[in-house]
Amino acid sequence: MNKYILLWVSLFFSQILSAQSLNVNGSLVIDNASSEGARIVILRNNIELERREIGKKGRFDLKFGLGADYRLFFEKDGYVTKIVNINTDVPDEIVQSNPDFPPVKLIVTLLPHVEGVDLSIFDQAIANLNYNYELDDFTFDKEYSIKIKDRIAKTEQEIRKMLAQKGSEALAREQLFAELTGKGERAFTQRHWQEAIDHWSKALQIKPDKKELEEKIAIAQKEYEREEAEKSVAAQNARTYKMLIASADSLLAGKNYTAAKEKFTMAKSLPLADEYPSKKITEIDAILAQLAKEKQAAEALQERIAKYKQIIADANQEFQQKNYDAAESLYREALTLNYEKEYPENQLKAIAAIRKEESDKQKQEEAARKQQEELRRAELMARYKQIIATADAAFKTENYAIARAHYTEADQLQTGENYPKNKIKEIDNIFNSGKYKQRLAEFNHNKKLAEQALGEKNYAGAKVYYEKAASILPIDKEEIQKKIAEVNQLIEAERLARQNKEYQIQIEKADQAYKEKSYAIAKFYYQKALEIKKDDKYAQEKLGEVEKLINERTEKTVEL
């Protein structure tokens, strides 16, 4: 049962966390150039989440859900990329009590990529943003920033020095060279050989000494020529067939069946194809059919296992809640799935043992109940005889009101004896059924109940009976009013004691949170204390202090 409660709590807080967010906005500044073409690549828990293009104005506005690790890459072709880490883990109690965090503003400057400068410092994050428990806000890791600050400043200074030495024309050439080589790489990756050749050739005109570009152009040229040659199928059928068969055999050996089948099919379609590709296609189809069959069997097994686990989970829940009939039915259903029978069989044995134990216990309890009933009957009759003796004594002395009260008390014991009823009738006849004497009997009865309730510390009941007695007859008015006043004081004392105890609990929790600088939690408990004592000066003063500390959250602007 506990694991289901934990699962429910986990899901509940996950929904709360997903509903909150941290806003990060700011500007991307490109040194001596427009930010157009720049972008932000966002990773969430090391998985790429988004690529966001940045316009000419360079502005960006980002929103991050709580409870995750984010990694931001600010980049543009020909410029040095900068990385910022953001961790949005926030304690659950903070999310519940004070989840609104001020936005964080970033101003990120990108410098051109310059050869001859060691840029390895930018392989790591230049800033780490995370939640600070003491400040109850998101802040940058000062120790980390101080650690790398000097290296970043020194590297950027070297870049600017190199740029100043090269001049604006050289900078433009560097930027154009970087842009052309980047476009060439992307075209090559997309297998656009001629486009890659064109971009690299233009870049080579800027820097003719770049041998690696000549090598890349040569590779792209070969790929281009190869593709052109493959288009001339009529002239190279024999070569193409051998190439396809070799590739298909290699793929088949590597168990890449779908790709191998495609190659064999292509080879089969050539005019000079023999029976070999058809034979291999049939062989691959048989393998694929067998794999599909095995996959289907595995999926069926997994489905059966999942169903078995769900039934077992439901059965365990019913078992924990002592719904043994439902649990037994589910365990038997699990056995029909023919998967891990030992556990449900053991649970069925456990249910049988529990039922036997309960049956034995029920028999023992029934015997004990009968014994207690006989004892209670004996005690009841002893009490009955004692009350009757008291009533008879009062009756003999003609104290009929007291006697009637005792006879009534004896009759209320429900012993089945008619004697008290007959004596009550006899007393009522003595009173001639007079209205006054009936009210007197009611008065005495309620007064007795009030005194009994007071002795049991049932102050509310005592007050009711005293007030009822006072409303029947004005006998002993001053004494009864005095008793009611005493009862009211006792009721008020109990209420104040409960209030003070609950107030003290909340104040202690609040003071402890304040001491630990957990101001949002302290605020919550000071407010709870004021709900108990609305005008309490101490709680009001402390609440004002923590609200002032919480309100010190401000928007942060950081230049990176």
Side-chain angles (χ1 to χ4, degrees):
M1 188 65 181
N2 291 335
K3 66 181 181 181
Y4 291 99
I5 294 175
L6 290 172
L7 177 59
W8 180 88
V9 171
S10 176
L11 291 172
F12 175 75
F13 282 118
S14 295
Q15 293 172 355
I16 291 176
L17 286 172
S18 64
Q20 306 299 333
S21 61
L22 172 67
N23 292 329
V24 176
N25 55 51
S27 301
L28 180 64
V29 179
I30 306 299
D31 193 66
N32 295 325
S34 168
S35 60
E36 186 174 12
R39 56 196 168 270
I40 303 176
V41 180
I42 303 173
L43 273 62
R44 183 179 187 273
N45 296 334
N46 292 323
I47 298 174
E48 183 171 326
L49 179 67
E50 179 183 2
R51 287 177 175 261
R52 181 173 299 189
E53 299 294 327
I54 298 179
K56 293 181 179 179
K57 295 182 179 180
R59 297 175 183 172
F60 57 86
D61 192 356
L62 308 174
K63 184 176 290 187
F64 300 101
L66 300 185
D69 279 311
Y70 294 91
R71 194 168 176 86
L72 280 58
F73 295 80
F74 296 85
E75 59 186 35
K76 182 179 179 180
D77 292 338
Y79 288 80
V80 179
T81 298
K82 287 187 177 180
I83 305 170
V84 176
N85 290 337
I86 300 176
N87 180 279
T88 60
D89 284 334
V90 179
D92 294 336
E93 63 268 26
I94 301 300
V95 176
Q96 295 179 67
S97 61
N98 191 26
D100 298 320
F101 298 98
V104 177
K105 186 173 183 180
L106 298 179
I107 301 175
V108 182
T109 301
L110 298 187
L111 296 177
H113 189 286
V114 178
E115 292 184 357
V117 178
D118 181 9
L119 303 175
S120 60
I121 185 63
F122 296 108
D123 292 339
Q124 60 186 308
I126 60 174
N128 290 334
L129 179 67
N130 49 43
Y131 176 80
N132 186 292
Y133 196 86
E134 290 187 359
L135 299 178
D136 187 24
D137 199 359
F138 281 91
T139 60
F140 284 92
D141 188 337
K142 292 183 179 179
E143 293 183 2
Y144 181 86
S145 298
I146 292 172
K147 182 179 179 181
I148 67 172
K149 179 179 179 182
D150 291 338
R151 283 191 62 193
I152 291 175
K154 183 178 179 181
T155 303
E156 290 186 343
Q157 184 178 5
E158 290 179 5
I159 291 174
R160 294 186 186 278
K161 183 178 179 181
M162 292 288 288
L163 291 173
Q165 291 175 352
K166 293 184 178 181
S168 60
E169 182 178 350
L171 174 60
R173 287 169 59 84
E174 288 287 349
Q175 291 175 342
L176 180 59
F177 179 81
E179 181 179 353
L180 289 171
T181 54
K183 289 181 178 179
E185 291 291 346
R186 287 193 292 275
F188 186 86
T189 301
Q190 296 170 1
R191 304 177 68 84
H192 299 160
W193 314 120
Q194 190 57 53
E195 184 180 346
I197 292 170
D198 291 342
H199 288 308
W200 283 334
S201 296
K202 292 177 181 179
L204 193 60
Q205 291 176 4
I206 298 173
K207 293 186 178 183
D209 59 337
K210 293 293 183 180
K211 298 297 183 181
E212 62 270 21
L213 283 181
E214 293 179 353
E215 295 173 357
K216 290 182 178 180
I217 291 172
I219 294 172
Q221 185 64 39
K222 288 181 180 179
E223 291 294 332
Y224 175 77
E225 291 173 356
R226 184 182 60 78
E227 285 189 353
E228 289 298 314
E230 287 177 355
K231 294 177 182 177
S232 180
V233 176
Q236 299 187 26
N237 273 341
R239 179 183 173 187
T240 302
Y241 177 81
K242 291 180 180 179
M243 180 181 67
L244 290 172
I245 291 297
S247 177
D249 285 338
S250 177
L251 291 169
L252 180 59
K255 297 184 179 181
N256 191 345
Y257 302 116
T258 302
K261 182 179 178 180
E262 290 178 359
K263 295 290 185 181
F264 282 125
T265 301
M266 291 173 62
K268 179 183 176 182
S269 67
L270 295 175
L272 51 76
D274 54 18
E275 296 179 357
Y276 182 79
S278 298
K279 180 180 178 182
K280 286 297 181 180
I281 290 171
T282 302
E283 179 183 334
I284 291 172
D285 286 339
I287 293 172
L288 291 175
Q290 180 61 31
L291 290 175
K293 183 177 179 181
E294 292 174 357
K295 180 180 178 182
Q296 184 178 7
E299 289 175 348
L301 176 61
Q302 290 302 318
E303 182 179 353
R304 184 155 54 90
I305 292 173
K307 184 177 180 182
Y308 171 88
K309 290 181 178 179
Q310 183 60 51
I311 293 173
I312 289 296
D314 294 341
N316 288 342
Q317 184 175 5
E318 298 291 349
F319 183 90
Q320 291 171 1
Q321 295 175 352
K322 299 184 179 180
N323 299 327
Y324 298 120
D325 290 340
E328 180 181 23
S329 177
L330 289 168
Y331 285 130
R332 293 192 183 281
E333 183 180 353
L335 286 173
T336 63
L337 297 176
N338 294 321
Y339 179 77
E340 294 187 0
K341 293 186 177 183
E342 182 179 357
Y343 179 79
E345 287 175 348
N346 289 340
Q347 289 298 95
L348 289 171
K349 292 177 182 177
I351 291 174
I354 290 171
R355 284 176 171 162
K356 183 178 184 303
E357 182 181 352
E358 288 180 344
S359 176
D360 295 340
K361 184 178 179 181
Q362 186 176 4
K363 291 178 181 178
Q364 294 174 358
E365 290 176 347
E366 181 64 21
R369 187 191 65 77
K370 290 181 179 179
Q371 184 178 2
Q372 290 176 356
E373 181 62 25
E374 292 174 357
L375 180 61
R376 188 196 68 81
R377 178 68 180 174
E379 293 175 349
L380 184 67
M381 290 307 298
R383 184 180 176 190
Y384 169 82
K385 291 178 180 179
Q386 182 180 4
I387 295 172
I388 290 296
T390 303
D392 287 343
F395 185 87
K396 289 179 180 179
T397 58
E398 299 183 351
N399 195 347
Y400 300 118
I402 295 175
R404 191 181 190 284
H406 288 302
Y407 285 132
T408 301
E409 183 181 1
D411 185 60
Q412 289 176 344
L413 295 178
Q414 298 181 355
T415 60
E417 299 289 335
N418 291 324
Y419 180 79
K421 289 185 173 65
N422 294 334
K423 297 302 290 184
I424 290 171
K425 290 179 181 179
E426 185 177 349
I427 292 172
D428 287 343
N429 289 333
I430 293 173
F431 286 142
N432 295 319
S433 299
K435 184 177 181 180
Y436 174 80
K437 293 181 180 180
Q438 182 180 359
R439 291 172 63 196
L440 178 63
E442 292 177 0
F443 168 83
N444 289 330
H445 179 64
N446 280 280
K447 184 177 179 182
K448 181 177 180 180
L449 290 175
E451 291 171 350
Q452 182 179 350
L454 183 61
E456 296 172 352
K457 296 185 179 181
N458 181 5
Y459 304 127
K463 181 179 179 180
V464 170
Y465 288 125
Y466 277 129
E467 288 178 343
K468 187 173 182 181
S471 69
I472 295 171
L473 285 175
I475 298 174
D476 299 330
K477 181 178 181 180
E478 292 182 359
E479 179 184 355
I480 290 178
Q481 290 298 328
K482 182 179 179 181
K483 287 289 187 181
I484 291 173
E486 292 176 2
V487 169
N488 284 334
Q489 290 178 354
L490 292 169
I491 291 173
E492 179 63 15
E494 281 189 338
R495 186 190 70 79
L496 289 174
R498 288 194 303 270
Q499 183 189 61
N500 288 332
K501 183 178 180 180
E502 181 61 26
Y503 166 82
Q504 192 60 36
I505 290 172
Q506 303 302 328
I507 285 295
E508 288 176 357
K509 290 180 179 179
D511 287 344
Q512 183 63 30
Y514 183 92
K515 181 179 178 181
E516 296 172 353
K517 297 183 179 181
S518 301
Y519 301 125
I521 299 175
K523 177 183 177 180
F524 174 81
Y525 287 118
Y526 283 130
Q527 288 176 335
K528 296 291 283 186
L530 283 171
E531 289 176 5
I532 299 170
K533 292 186 178 182
K534 296 182 179 179
D535 299 325
D536 183 70
K537 291 183 178 180
Y538 177 79
Q540 289 175 342
E541 290 175 357
K542 299 302 287 185
L543 179 60
E545 291 178 18
V546 295
E547 286 181 338
K548 182 179 179 181
L549 291 169
I550 289 173
N551 290 333
E552 289 179 356
R553 286 177 170 176
T554 59
E555 179 176 323
K556 293 160 288 299
T557 300
V558 178
E559 295 187 10
L560 302 173

